Amino acid sequence: MTANLSALTYLVAGICFIMALRSLSSPDSARRGNMLGIAGMVIAVGTTLLNPAVVGFNLIIAGIVIGAVIGSFVAIRIQMAAMPQLVAAFHSLVGMAAVLVAAAAFYSPESYGIGTAGDIHTGSLIEMSVGVVIGAITFSGSIVAFAKLQGIVGGSPVVFPGQHLLNLAIGIVIVAGGAYLVANQSAEAFWIVTGLAFLIGFLIIIPIGGADMPVVISMLNSYSGWAAAGIGFTLENTALIITGALVGSSGAILSYIMCRAMNRSFISVILGGFGGDADAGAAAGWGDKSAKSGSADDAAFIMKNAGSVVIVPGYGMAVAQAQHAVREMADKLKEEGVRVRYAVHPVAGRMPGHMNVLLAEANVSYDDVLELEEINADFSTTDVAFVIGANDVINPAARSDPASPIYGMPILDVERAQTTLIVKRSLSPGYAGIDNELFYADKTMMLFADAKKMAEDIAKAL
């Protein structure tokens, strides 16, 4: 394939990716967006394989087969509740790919047309340094995010004295090491910079608390895009540069939007300096207060006699795979003449759009699903707020407790409804580790059960 034809097909692939992102902005066109993304990737991969510089396919075919088998196995086995940690794991692979490509280019520059060993083009060295740093940060940061989301380590922030000064010092050494690498092409400098980048990726994610993990996923998505763009410059591959830039910029924009939704500083997110103190508000408790509990029959009676019900889904619904049962319950209520809508917080679940995907999977009408800013004003005139598996996104501490790690984060105002029903297994705090005073409010009835079973039982009672 000629260079001009390759450039043209890469351009077509890039256009497909841009159109895919545009289509993914709406639930109605999301399926078309996925198909456009797949088409663009097929074109990009096919163009790369037809490049005259590719002289052997044995290793390539082996890699494709191994990757396809692993990817298919993961896709079949993965549950929706585990999708956030899967995304984090995939981000880590992109980061490590950037590191490995940079290392290969550094030790074998002739293969990449960027010079010879010890005499690599200055521009290529700069691209290589930036790519390896972003890739290493993406890899180690994604591993930490995966461990937190999977429950391997706790979701509470891990902080220690002098943490920010240490991060600053490491950052300065990385920049200085990168400059030395460009000037002297030292292998020792390359690996020192790489090692410190792995370390700072770990350090900027561990202080981020569980309630802020959706922002972390978005941020790491952006980092993985820039890492891919770095690989593209090293390989002189237009498709990778375009794709990486699209992922990097869209991830950064999404992170900014989510920071606004959570009242966080965008700069703090980038530098890992948010998430609150480790113990702030984590075990506040509510003294001798007790929660009022009820049954599925109680909940069915209350909602059947309501004029309006707003359902607030959370991570607990994802874990229990209760979205279909919730949809059935909502349909029963609609048959009784009850107005039913869904309120989705921007960071409900463990990644952006988590709840929207689950509700779409259960064929819930898009018209019934409203975002925080669309529904919050209506809670004061809502008869029943039915919360299923949500915790931190409805916690009044975000408004009332300045010491709370989630203070300042906009929440769904479910406490303003006439009655609040909360489905939860126990009174244990949410992922952020913060007790919720709403559980003990006079207008609240706790429904202690598995989310799916409770929704099914309420549907039967209706």
Side-chain angles (χ1 to χ4, degrees):
M1 182 176 287
T2 64
N4 288 337
L5 184 57
S6 294
L8 179 61
T9 52
Y10 279 146
L11 179 61
V12 172
I15 293 173
C16 286
F17 294 141
I18 293 170
M19 293 174 63
L21 276 178
R22 178 68 183 87
S23 298
L24 288 170
S25 64
S26 169
D28 295 318
S29 57
R31 187 182 298 274
R32 181 172 71 251
N34 276 322
M35 298 307 297
L36 285 168
I38 292 171
M41 188 56 67
V42 169
I43 293 171
V45 172
T47 301
T48 302
L49 293 179
L50 293 175
N51 191 311
V54 178
V55 295
F57 289 91
N58 293 339
L59 288 176
I60 294 174
I61 293 173
I64 290 174
V65 171
I66 294 172
V69 170
I70 295 174
S72 300
F73 177 78
V74 171
I76 293 171
R77 293 289 300 275
I78 195 70
Q79 297 293 324
M80 272 305 303
M83 193 61 68
Q85 46 264 54
L86 176 66
V87 172
F90 283 171
H91 288 162
S92 72
L93 298 180
V94 177
M96 181 54 74
V99 173
L100 294 177
V101 168
F106 182 78
Y107 283 97
S108 183
E110 300 90 347
S111 302
Y112 295 84
I114 57 175
T116 58
D119 189 25
I120 301 173
H121 302 157
T122 300
S124 298
L125 279 170
I126 295 173
E127 296 163 2
M128 192 186 305
S129 301
V130 173
V132 76
V133 169
I134 297 176
I137 291 174
T138 303
F139 174 79
S140 55
S142 297
I143 292 298
V144 176
F146 170 83
K148 287 197 173 194
L149 291 167
Q150 188 66 19
I152 298 173
V153 300
S156 298
V158 178
V159 295
F160 53 85
Q163 192 168 33
H164 295 302
L165 288 177
L166 176 61
N167 290 348
L168 177 61
I170 294 174
I172 292 173
V173 174
I174 288 175
V175 173
Y180 184 82
L181 170 63
V182 172
N184 298 279
Q185 303 191 25
S186 164
E188 291 78 9
F190 177 88
W191 290 113
I192 289 173
V193 168
T194 303
L196 289 175
F198 279 127
L199 177 60
I200 201 168
F202 172 81
L203 290 174
I204 65 175
I205 301 301
I206 58 169
I208 300 177
D212 295 312
M213 289 310 294
V215 185
V216 174
I217 297 296
S218 176
M219 178 182 69
L220 290 171
N221 178 62
S222 178
Y223 286 176
S224 68
W226 298 124
I231 297 175
F233 280 109
T234 301
L235 299 177
E236 297 183 350
N237 187 295
T238 306
L240 263 178
I241 296 172
I242 294 174
T243 306
L246 285 172
V247 173
S249 56
S250 60
I253 292 170
L254 179 59
S255 297
Y256 176 73
I257 293 172
M258 294 181 69
C259 285
R260 289 184 60 189
M262 298 178 69
N263 195 34
R264 303 303 195 209
S265 164
F266 183 65
I267 299 301
S268 293
V269 172
I270 296 173
L271 300 178
F274 73 115
D277 297 327
D279 300 319
W286 297 99
D288 297 326
K289 288 186 178 181
S290 58
K292 178 173 61 179
S293 63
S295 65
D297 289 335
D298 296 328
F301 178 80
I302 292 172
M303 289 194 288
K304 182 178 181 179
N305 289 281
S308 60
V309 172
V310 174
I311 299 172
V312 179
Y315 185 65
M317 187 183 80
V319 173
Q321 288 292 284
Q323 60 269 26
H324 295 282
V326 170
R327 158 73 191 283
E328 181 185 359
M329 181 192 77
D331 288 344
K332 297 285 186 184
L333 288 170
K334 289 181 179 180
E335 291 173 6
E336 298 291 338
V338 180
R339 185 189 186 195
V340 180
R341 292 175 295 168
Y342 297 80
V344 176
H345 192 280
V347 293
R350 300 284 174 84
M351 67 181 293
H354 199 177
M355 296 301 105
N356 301 76
V357 172
L358 289 175
L359 295 175
E361 183 186 1
N363 293 319
V364 172
S365 172
Y366 299 137
D367 294 334
D368 291 340
V369 181
L370 303 174
E371 301 295 333
L372 178 145
E373 62 273 9
E374 299 174 301
I375 192 71
N376 245 4
D378 293 353
F379 277 111
S380 60
T381 56
T382 297
D383 294 319
V384 179
F386 183 82
V387 181
I388 181 161
N391 191 331
D392 299 323
V393 297
I394 61 168
N395 194 334
R399 283 196 303 261
S400 61
D401 184 6
S404 173
I406 64 170
Y407 182 70
M409 181 180 82
I411 60 170
L412 290 164
D413 298 330
V414 298
E415 78 275 11
R416 295 180 180 173
Q418 296 302 308
T419 301
T420 303
L421 304 177
I422 301 178
V423 182
K424 209 170 180 296
R425 289 181 178 273
S426 68
L427 289 173
S428 60
Y431 190 63
I434 308 162
D435 200 359
N436 193 334
E437 63 178 305
L438 183 60
F439 297 163
Y440 314 96
D442 293 335
K443 296 192 299 180
T444 298
M445 176 182 288
M446 300 297 298
L447 305 172
F448 294 115
D450 172 80
K452 183 178 181 180
K453 186 177 187 307
M454 177 56 70
E456 291 174 340
D457 289 347
I458 292 174
K460 290 177 183 176
L462 288 169

